[in-house]
Amino acid sequence: MDCCPPVDLAKEAERHEHEGLLATAWSFARCLEGDLYDLSLGVSNLHCPSCINQIEKGLAELPGIEQARVNLSTRRLFVRWREDTTGLAEIVSKVDGMGYRLAPLDSGSQEESGNREERELLRAVALSGFAAANVMLLSVSVWSGLVSDMGPATRVMMHWISALIALPTVVIAGRPFFRSAVGALRSGHLNMDVPISLGVTLAAGMSLAETMRGGEHVYFDAAVTLLFFLLIGRYLDLRIRGKARSAAENLMAMRASSATVIDPDGSQRRVAAAQVEPGMLVAVAAGERIPVDGTVEQGQSDVDTALVTGESVPRTVTAGTEVFAGTLNLNGALRVLVTSTEDSTLLAEIVNLMEAAEQGRARYQRLADRVARAYSPVVHILAAGTFLGWLWIGALDWQLSLMIAVAVLIITCPCALGLAVPAVQVAAVDRLLRKGILVKAADGLERLAQADVVVFDKTGTLTLGQPELIKGLEVSPQRLQLAAGMAAASKHPLARALYRAAKAQGPVPTLPQTVSETPGMGLSVQMNGSELRLGNRVWCGIGEGAQDASDGSDLDMELWLASEGEPPVAFRFRDELRPDARQSIEALKKRGLAVELLSGDRPGPVRQVAETLGIETWHAECRPDAKIARLKALSAQGKRVLMVGDGLNDAPALAEAFVSISPADASAVSQTAADLIFQGDSLDALVETHSVAGSARRLVLQNFALAFSYNAIAVPFAVAGYVTPLVAAVAMSASSIVVTVNSLRLYAMKRHTAPEAPRQKSASTGVQPTPPVSGSQAAS
């Protein structure tokens, strides 16, 4: 009779868990183009820089892996790969074969994984603590008996009782270390848990050998107590590092998991947020988070938009107002017309930016990685040398020599060094996010802390970028609608203001022709065999002496509409300075930064804005190439420039600068070029960012000093035999905890606050192609 082969339940459970992870992970993977995907996964048992090097190096060996980055403080793996060359299953199997457990990066799975690891560590701490207390009592009895009348048989019995308590404890409570060490060795690598496991195993094994031959000295108490302190250190490290949760992880928790969809017949149904598609109508009750990006179709409410604007004051929304996923509906029922899917919302975009910033490698992080990479071979050679030195040169017996080597294995831990940068990086990115400031570049804050010159664009940067049309509505409706139709194709603030003003007068027709835009100049379109231009006066072929009316102020901004056979028409606008512009610039100067103004506008309005804000060095009529030339000149003088701009014509300068920041309402090209993006109308975000960047740099340097000082002091003492394995365990755990706590001080540091400022009006003009004009105190 045929019978089924026996089922290995453990392997079956592991197979099902593996398949479940693959299915869940695929739902979080992003297709970038063709067969190119990227994905972030949590690594639950990641403890040291050697783990990072092992995973990154192991994945790099697979064909089709374009990028693999591991962040120690957030414990996440970011991988980008080509599916037709290497499948996701192979990636997961590779990491799993190294002994690391992966989990999807949704908040629920991450929390469950963290809780599971925390519970395991707590159980191990309780078991090892109980065993250590009992073995220590037996050891005290033996130590007392050595100087009294305890017989050899009684001493051996005490040793065997200690072995019966200690050995199972080492096997069970030491699993968090042994599992990681075995996985590393299986894949041909070394990590921090290898010397820890080796030290605990050597202490227990040597004690068992001594017990079996009836020796006087055993170290079961040292092995179990060593394990107890190591587990306490790992548990505290896990808890404290949890305080530095990544900004992206915090944002993921703000996503609504489901949405109430209103069907065409008026019925409502609850669906997963991932199933909501553009064009659907969603009901949002008071107190709920808005699940999607969309436009309010019906209702009025106050919405907490701190996620988007960084402002704590709620925003009133009515029909036609745009709302964003993750923001909180406070007090009124809303019906929202969906405009974006869950993975293309503003919240999803912010999460992607934050993950990129946290996963990147700053210069300091690369330095720490290189140092930590040499850890494993160096520490094993050092421990072996210590053992042989004390055995041969120091003439100690092999037991004491081995105990000194075990202390060296335990104390030389690179955790503090590995956490020096990422813990600060995560805290800084998270703190800035709470103020509405997005960090895109991994080394953006590091470079910002070194900046010594701030160069501002004017329109949309120092000003609100929301000019209002004050003259031009009186032109013929046909020409106004034609100009507005061209303006609809541009994101320039003046073009948007013209479009808004014309739309208020009536529908704006869509031009059938393609409108082209020349950065810094204007718009053009071919109509009826001739070219129609909308832009600055030189672009439109209008001389400087031309005036459209006697009341035209030299401080107004202007756009001209010109075509063959028609008299030119001028549209004049006025803008306002950002409410705290002067106070923020004064604060930047107090922080030791020089301030300059580069603008494409005419000298009149640029001079007026510079004088109002107290900026001595200014340059007017700067085209994009002139701005780049000025930045290069500053760089040649040894300056590190922070460029602040928002327009299409600022994108080259933003990319050229040492570090750059752009407002959230800037053009898409400028936001792509910038290293940081700030929300809202307040320039105080610049001062806050510079303050946090400086604090973060100081904390990183402090962490490096702490890590190097620890090793410089502790290692020689351990090699010299002055440190027991127990003291080594306490010192090793304390070093990483101290570095993490020092990094978290960034949250407690005093926030910069700018004084309230009255709103001031400023006037400026459109960009000009003539050579730049500079202020009297400016360096050309």
Side-chain angles (χ1 to χ4, degrees):
M1 182 177 68
D2 295 335
C3 63
C4 296
V7 177
D8 189 326
L9 297 180
K11 288 187 176 181
E12 279 296 299
E14 183 178 347
R15 181 177 65 83
H16 287 296
E17 182 180 357
H18 186 76
E19 292 175 353
L21 171 62
L22 284 176
T24 308
W26 262 119
S27 65
F28 289 92
R30 293 189 308 159
C31 180
L32 303 179
E33 58 177 35
D35 62 336
L36 183 63
Y37 290 83
D38 70 15
L39 174 66
S40 290
L41 290 168
V43 188
S44 59
N45 55 335
L46 192 69
H47 303 296
C48 69
S50 298
C51 302
I52 293 177
N53 183 49
Q54 178 186 352
I55 295 174
E56 291 181 350
K57 189 174 180 180
L59 288 179
E61 295 171 354
L62 295 177
I65 300 294
E66 296 202 352
Q67 186 179 6
R69 289 288 180 266
V70 180
N71 186 297
L72 178 60
S73 59
T74 60
R75 296 186 178 190
R76 46 173 77 179
L77 162 67
F78 173 82
V79 60
R80 180 175 295 150
W81 79 99
R82 293 201 173 274
E83 180 67 19
D84 64 339
T85 306
T86 296
L88 179 59
E90 296 174 70
I91 295 172
V92 173
S93 296
K94 181 72 172 180
V95 177
D96 186 64
M98 300 177 193
Y100 298 99
R101 295 194 301 273
L102 297 177
L105 264 184
D106 65 290
S107 56
S109 297
Q110 282 291 89
E111 184 176 358
E112 175 58 30
S113 176
N115 291 339
R116 185 168 57 247
E117 184 175 6
E118 188 175 313
R119 289 193 298 268
E120 181 185 13
L121 285 175
L122 271 178
R123 286 193 295 267
V125 167
L127 175 60
S128 59
F130 176 80
N134 285 276
V135 172
M136 189 63 69
L137 288 175
L138 293 169
S139 299
V140 170
S141 301
V142 173
W143 297 338
S144 301
L146 289 175
V147 295
S148 60
D149 57 353
M150 178 179 284
T154 304
R155 185 178 63 247
V156 171
M157 182 188 70
M158 291 288 193
H159 287 168
W160 277 112
I161 295 174
S162 297
L164 290 174
I165 297 174
L167 294 179
T169 300
V170 168
V171 172
I172 298 172
R175 283 185 301 178
F177 303 108
F178 300 152
R179 201 165 39 227
S180 174
V182 169
L185 293 173
R186 187 184 298 164
S187 60
H189 298 88
L190 297 172
N191 65 8
M192 185 196 76
D193 288 334
V194 172
I196 288 177
S197 301
L198 186 59
V200 173
T201 304
L202 284 175
M206 181 187 69
S207 300
L208 179 60
E210 283 291 287
T211 300
M212 294 175 67
R213 75 179 187 87
E216 291 187 359
H217 301 288
V218 297
Y219 300 94
F220 289 121
D221 54 342
V224 178
T225 310
L226 170 63
L227 190 59
F228 175 58
F229 281 112
L230 289 171
L231 287 166
I232 288 178
R234 180 149 296 184
Y235 175 75
L236 291 177
D237 180 55
L238 176 67
R239 290 299 303 270
I240 293 175
R241 209 183 301 183
K243 299 293 183 182
R245 294 177 65 199
S246 75
E249 190 175 334
N250 288 329
L251 284 178
M252 294 289 282
M254 292 184 178
R255 296 189 307 176
S257 59
S258 61
T260 303
V261 175
I262 304 175
D263 290 326
D265 60 0
S267 61
Q268 298 185 5
R269 55 191 173 94
R270 199 75 175 170
V271 301
Q275 298 176 357
V276 178
E277 298 179 355
M280 288 183 172
L281 195 61
V282 172
V284 184
E288 287 187 344
R289 287 201 177 273
I290 297 175
V292 290
D293 286 4
T295 304
V296 177
E297 285 283 296
Q298 182 180 332
Q300 179 173 333
S301 180
D302 292 328
V303 175
D304 181 354
T305 60
L307 172 67
V308 177
T309 64
E311 301 292 337
S312 58
V313 179
R315 174 190 176 199
T316 301
V317 298
T318 58
T321 306
E322 191 174 12
V323 291
F324 301 98
T327 55
L328 183 62
N329 180 25
L330 296 176
N331 50 28
L334 296 175
R335 293 194 173 193
V336 178
L337 181 65
V338 180
T339 57
S340 300
T341 58
E342 186 189 38
D343 59 355
S344 59
T345 60
L346 176 64
L347 179 61
E349 182 181 349
I350 294 174
V351 168
N352 292 336
L353 290 175
M354 293 300 96
E355 287 183 343
E358 291 176 351
Q359 294 292 348
R361 291 287 200 273
R363 180 169 59 90
Y364 289 138
Q365 182 62 55
R366 293 193 294 270
L367 172 62
D369 288 349
R370 284 197 296 270
V371 174
R373 196 171 294 132
Y375 155 74
S376 291
V378 169
V379 69
H380 287 91
I381 292 172
L382 184 62
T386 300
F387 172 72
L388 295 176
W390 280 108
L391 184 65
W392 294 341
I393 302 174
L396 290 181
D397 56 37
W398 70 273
Q399 295 99 328
L400 291 178
S401 299
L402 187 59
M403 283 295 100
I404 296 174
V406 168
V408 173
L409 283 173
I410 300 300
I411 207 165
T412 50
C413 171
C415 269
L417 183 63
L419 289 169
V421 179
V424 175
Q425 188 177 16
V426 168
V429 169
D430 191 18
R431 172 171 166 167
L432 290 176
L433 178 65
R434 297 179 186 186
K435 295 286 288 183
I437 303 160
L438 310 181
V439 182
K440 290 176 53 186
D443 60 345
L445 290 178
E446 183 180 307
R447 285 183 279 124
L448 180 59
Q450 303 174 53
D452 48 21
V453 178
V454 184
V455 174
F456 285 96
D457 173 49
K458 183 173 70 66
T459 304
T461 304
L462 290 174
T463 68
L464 291 172
Q466 299 171 356
E468 299 296 331
L469 182 66
I470 60 172
K471 185 179 183 303
L473 290 175
E474 67 277 8
V475 303
S476 66
Q478 294 81 6
R479 305 210 69 186
L480 176 62
Q481 295 299 313
L482 182 59
M486 295 178 65
S490 175
K491 296 294 185 181
H492 191 280
L494 298 187
R496 304 310 300 165
L498 176 59
Y499 177 80
R500 287 195 306 270
K503 189 176 181 181
Q505 303 295 312
V508 176
T510 301
L511 299 182
Q513 298 85 353
T514 300
V515 178
S516 60
E517 181 170 9
T518 302
M521 305 301 289
L523 304 164
S524 62
V525 64
Q526 294 290 332
M527 297 188 66
N528 301 323
S530 62
E531 185 181 45
L532 182 66
R533 289 190 171 188
L534 177 69
N536 64 56
R537 60 173 63 222
V538 175
W539 170 249
C540 295
I542 299 166
E544 281 293 330
Q547 293 290 333
D548 60 297
S550 58
D551 63 345
S553 169
D554 195 42
L555 298 181
D556 292 341
M557 295 175 288
E558 63 179 14
L559 283 179
W560 289 81
L561 178 67
S563 61
E564 295 181 9
E566 297 283 348
V569 173
F571 300 95
R572 290 195 174 273
F573 308 82
R574 282 186 185 164
D575 199 357
E576 288 186 344
L577 289 175
R578 291 184 183 262
D580 61 347
R582 184 175 180 84
Q583 285 74 15
S584 296
I585 287 174
E586 289 176 354
L588 289 171
K589 289 181 178 179
K590 289 180 180 178
R591 297 189 61 82
L593 294 165
V595 180
E596 292 193 13
L597 172 58
L598 292 183
S599 176
D601 294 351
R602 292 173 295 151
V606 177
R607 181 188 299 110
Q608 176 68 28
V609 169
E611 290 175 354
T612 301
L613 299 180
I615 301 176
E616 293 83 8
T617 305
W618 56 270
H619 302 261
E621 298 180 339
C622 292
R623 293 180 60 178
D625 55 349
K627 292 184 178 183
I628 292 177
R630 177 58 185 164
L631 296 186
K632 287 183 176 179
L634 289 171
S635 179
Q637 298 171 21
K639 305 294 185 181
R640 294 182 173 91
V641 179
L642 164 61
M643 178 69 195
V644 188
D646 75 313
L648 181 65
N649 60 327
D650 292 321
L654 291 168
E656 174 67 28
F658 183 71
V659 62
S660 56
I661 186 168
S662 180
D665 55 359
S667 67
V669 176
S670 294
Q671 290 192 40
T672 301
D675 298 308
L676 302 97
I677 297 173
F678 70 91
Q679 312 278 350
D681 295 336
S682 175
L683 282 179
D684 177 53
L686 297 179
V687 188
E688 172 73 10
T689 307
H690 189 263
S691 174
V692 170
S695 298
R697 184 170 185 265
R698 288 191 296 272
L699 289 176
V700 166
L701 294 177
Q702 290 173 14
N703 285 349
F704 275 139
L706 289 170
F708 283 120
S709 298
Y710 161 76
N711 284 283
I713 296 172
V715 174
F717 273 91
V719 172
Y722 291 108
V723 178
T724 66
L726 301 185
V727 174
V730 173
M732 183 269 287
S733 300
S735 65
S736 58
I737 291 173
V738 166
V739 165
T740 306
V741 170
N742 188 55
S743 303
L744 294 178
R745 288 174 54 222
L746 191 64
Y747 287 108
M749 288 183 176
K750 184 179 179 182
R751 290 183 181 273
H752 165 81
T753 54
E756 291 295 329
R759 296 177 71 89
Q760 306 176 52
K761 289 195 173 183
S762 167
S764 51
T765 63
V767 289
Q768 301 288 335
T770 54
V773 177
S774 303
S776 57
Q777 300 180 32
S780 299

